[in-house]
Amino acid sequence: MSFLELRILDIIDILLVAILLYYVYRLVKGSAAINIFIGIVIIYLVWKLTQLLQMEMLSSILGQFIGAGMFALIVVFQQEIRKFLLMVGSTNFGSKRNFLRQFKFNKNNGNQLETDFKSIIKACQKMGQNNTGALIVIKRNTNLDFIKSSGDSMRIKVNQPIVESIFYPNSPLHDGAMIIEDNTITATRVILPVSNDRNIPLRFGLRHRAAIGITEKTDAVALVVSEETGHTSYIKDGSFDLYDDLEELEKKLEEDLS
């Protein structure tokens, strides 16, 4: 009986480690940190293999490297660690639905059924044709109250004319970012943290840097309409998420907001 219980615990242990690795991979996917993450996994597996084969000298060297490397990893992965802690800290453990939605196990409880992303995309397309700049941040799971306080509080249902009118050049609300939560515009003229990433091309201005900054620190997604080109950029996880046409952008938003 104890042997059976031990095997069940082993299976649970393996499943939990697999889930943890999966979400760590998702966290660093698409960033420069992904290569470092893969390298760490390979070194760890080699270390375990040397232990299994009783290769004491190589096992000792790899063990010392992994032990000392933990401090370096905190520096290398500081942005990813911050995002992970924000994600965990913003989870409502008192609600089973919210907890499952946080980790996207329950696809039917996301923002997909609420956020009118089609109207948002159409508004971005129209503003792009008129070379009207815009910065839209759409909440997913992380609480955005810490940035909303820097702007003007709103409570307006999302629709295309409203989005366009807010970013109209002569509108008193056009500066800064718009925050959308559950198909409701909850704040305008919001000041976002600007990314200091030196790898961002110089052709991108403060709007793009601000969008990258907020998606580095939270799991929100951002849409940026360029005044110069009229192009709409989709930014997620601190990087540009490329798309071929508006239909593909719509699919990406539908998937990411689910």
Side-chain angles (χ1 to χ4, degrees):
M1 185 67 178
S2 60
F3 176 74
L4 180 61
E5 291 177 352
L6 180 62
R7 291 194 60 182
I8 292 175
L9 288 176
D10 286 341
I11 293 172
I12 294 174
D13 187 24
I14 293 171
L15 286 175
L16 290 175
V17 170
I19 291 171
L20 177 62
L21 289 175
Y22 170 72
Y23 280 103
V24 170
Y25 172 77
R26 283 190 56 178
L27 201 62
V28 300
K29 182 181 178 181
S31 67
I34 184 61
N35 294 326
I36 301 173
F37 172 74
I38 294 173
I40 292 170
V41 172
I42 292 173
I43 291 175
Y44 180 80
L45 292 176
V46 172
W47 176 46
K48 285 299 181 182
L49 180 61
T50 57
Q51 285 185 324
L52 183 64
L53 297 177
Q54 297 183 347
M55 301 170 65
E56 295 183 3
M57 184 176 294
L58 185 56
S59 175
S60 177
I61 292 173
L62 291 176
Q64 292 293 329
F65 175 80
I66 291 175
M70 291 303 297
F71 296 100
L73 289 179
I74 295 175
V75 177
V76 173
F77 289 103
Q78 56 180 325
Q79 291 290 349
E80 285 73 20
I81 293 172
R82 178 185 175 89
K83 286 175 64 177
F84 179 76
L85 293 176
L86 278 170
M87 182 183 71
V88 173
S90 63
T91 301
N92 181 2
F93 289 96
S95 169
K96 183 179 179 182
R97 286 182 59 191
N98 287 343
F99 179 74
L100 293 176
R101 187 175 73 179
Q102 179 77 27
F103 290 96
K104 295 190 177 180
F105 292 139
N106 190 342
K107 290 290 185 180
N108 294 325
N109 290 325
N111 291 336
Q112 178 184 353
L113 301 178
E114 301 178 8
T115 305
D116 188 2
F117 52 84
K118 293 185 179 180
S119 292
I120 298 171
I121 292 175
K122 288 179 181 178
C124 289
Q125 182 183 21
K126 188 69 175 296
M127 290 186 291
Q129 292 171 353
N130 299 325
N131 289 95
T132 300
L135 173 51
I136 302 171
V137 177
I138 306 175
K139 176 189 173 185
R140 295 169 73 189
N141 296 302
T142 306
N143 192 303
L144 299 179
D145 287 347
F146 73 101
I147 59 165
K148 286 164 55 180
S149 59
S150 66
D152 297 328
S153 179
M154 297 283 169
R155 192 160 190 82
I156 309 171
K157 183 178 179 181
V158 170
N159 61 68
Q160 183 181 344
I162 286 293
V163 174
E164 292 179 28
S165 64
I166 287 176
F167 288 109
Y168 184 71
N170 293 330
S171 167
L173 303 177
H174 78 281
D175 280 332
M178 171 193 291
I179 307 298
I180 295 177
E181 301 177 274
D182 296 332
N183 205 41
T184 301
I185 300 171
T186 57
T188 55
R189 296 205 308 169
V190 173
I191 300 172
L192 300 180
V194 177
S195 175
N196 294 319
D197 189 350
R198 296 182 180 272
N199 295 321
I200 301 174
L202 295 176
R203 67 178 182 275
F204 295 116
L206 284 177
R207 278 197 183 92
H208 291 85
R209 287 187 171 272
I212 292 172
I214 190 61
T215 57
E216 284 176 342
K217 293 176 171 58
T218 72
D219 68 346
V221 296
L223 292 166
V224 183
V225 181
S226 171
E227 288 184 7
E228 289 75 21
T229 64
H231 176 72
T232 299
S233 299
Y234 182 47
I235 299 175
K236 179 180 68 172
D237 298 329
S239 60
F240 291 86
D241 197 342
L242 303 180
Y243 61 91
D244 294 327
D245 50 42
L246 292 179
E247 288 185 3
E248 185 178 351
L249 175 59
E250 185 177 315
K251 290 179 181 178
K252 284 179 177 288
L253 269 176
E254 183 178 0
E255 179 181 348
D256 292 335
L257 296 179
S258 63

